[in-house]
Amino acid sequence: MKEYPYWWDTVPGSFGSPTPDPRPSAAGSASSDSSAPADSSLPARVDVAIVGAGYTGLAAARQLARAGATVLVCERGDTGWGASSRNGGQVLTGLRLDAATLVSRYGEAGARALFDIANESMSALERIVADEGIACDLHRSGHVLAACKPSHFAALRDEQALLARVFDHRVELVSRGEQRAEIGTDAYHGLLVDEHSLAINPARYVLGLADAARRAGVTVSAHTTVERVERRGSRWTVTTSNGTSDAGDLLVATNGYASAAFPPLRRRFVPVGSYIVATEPLAEADAARVLPKGRMAFDSKYFLYYFRMTADRRLLFGGRAEFSLPEPTATGRAARILHDGLRRLFPELANTAIDYAWGGNVAFTRDEMPRAGRLEQAYYAGGYGGHGVALATHLGTLIARRMAGEPIDHPLFDDRFAPIPLYYGTPWFLPAVGAYYKAKDWLS
């Protein structure tokens, strides 16, 4: 079993450095092996310095360079090494919060505006992929949301009605008796089917986005740890393991890998480990039984499972196997938990080998909504809660437009983003949160 993302082997040679520890480090965007080669020397002076070469940072860099700015992007590991090449490649409609929660919190008009932003982010992703010619297997697969209990299916019925009435978004329900047309298991109690979601190869996409940024004139410096950022007058001094650069503006785009180089984000973003296993390639008939229509899938638990089929018919099966940060023994432990879950859902795959297992960080905010804005004179964007492929691209582009001088008023922009009380970057409360959600799964 290979303990690194399956996606990395679809882009040979792009993620060739030794696998780093995925925990946030004291400096830089993510930990990495110190022996990894640094890129060439940094430009001495740029208009904008960006920390983090994932979707957010690269989308922002591309936009800024196209507007005429000189841009430097620093990444401690390989380009796209973090969540941008580790996620499940599900580009889902809506936000992390369900429709009922959005309406309850923001009212119908506010909820509709936020839902529209999420859907516009998907359209923006499609435009970038088409405009830049990025070969990343992007296609409209649709998704299924599987009800873990009969009461969950009743809630999906309410969700369907609310989505149609408030959001003008049509989804279909499939009863338990008919669900094998969509998913090859009787373990669930019916499904909600949304035809609009997308599938993507996340590693191919992030590397294509990096190439697009470079074509626009961006300097992308991998294996470059940002050790310190200092505000000096109206400019920033960015000190890295590969030299120092003077920048007019700073964007911190580290999301679930926020570091001590910029402490404000460590008090606002909570990194949580998410894990995935990938099977050996399945026989065509087995793959067709598991997901007959090739859709993305996830279920209704808090400790959810999510899964999909790859182009070479591997079943990628992921979830919040435990509420923790990745650490040296976590991947193997999570792989066993996920493999057990896979076998319970699909007993016919009990003897199927697991070829890959890996973990990475997603970032949550206190209210589970993404944010972008300006804190202590630096710009930021993040907190996607596992829904970041399109939203990170979109918010990265939007915050770049603001940095370039456009007067953008946006519901997710927050220059007064409050820190989480008693939290300074080490999520000591995750075990308690995990126990709470396990109890909710049991009681709901």
Side-chain angles (χ1 to χ4, degrees), residues 59-121:
R62 170 184 176 270
Q63 179 67 29
L64 285 161
R66 286 160 63 99
T70 55
V71 185
L72 166 67
V73 182
C74 296
E75 169 61 52
R76 179 161 182 159
D78 295 305
T79 299
W81 176 90
S84 295
S85 65
R86 294 170 178 272
N87 66 80
Q90 297 192 359
V91 189
L92 306 176
T93 57
L95 296 156
R96 172 173 172 76
L97 299 179
D98 61 22
T101 303
L102 287 173
V103 170
S104 174
R105 186 180 295 179
Y106 302 103
E108 290 189 0
R112 174 64 186 261
L114 290 167
F115 194 86
D116 287 348
I117 287 167
N119 288 342
E120 167 56 24
S121 75

Side-chain angles (χ1 to χ4, degrees), residues 11 15 94-95 137 169 259 261 290 339 365 374 391 424 438 441:
V11 281
F15 297 92
L95 296 156
D137 305 322
H169 187 77
S259 77
V290 171
H339 197 191
T365 62
R374 199 175 189 191
L391 276 170
Y424 298 92
K438 280 184 178 179
D441 279 338

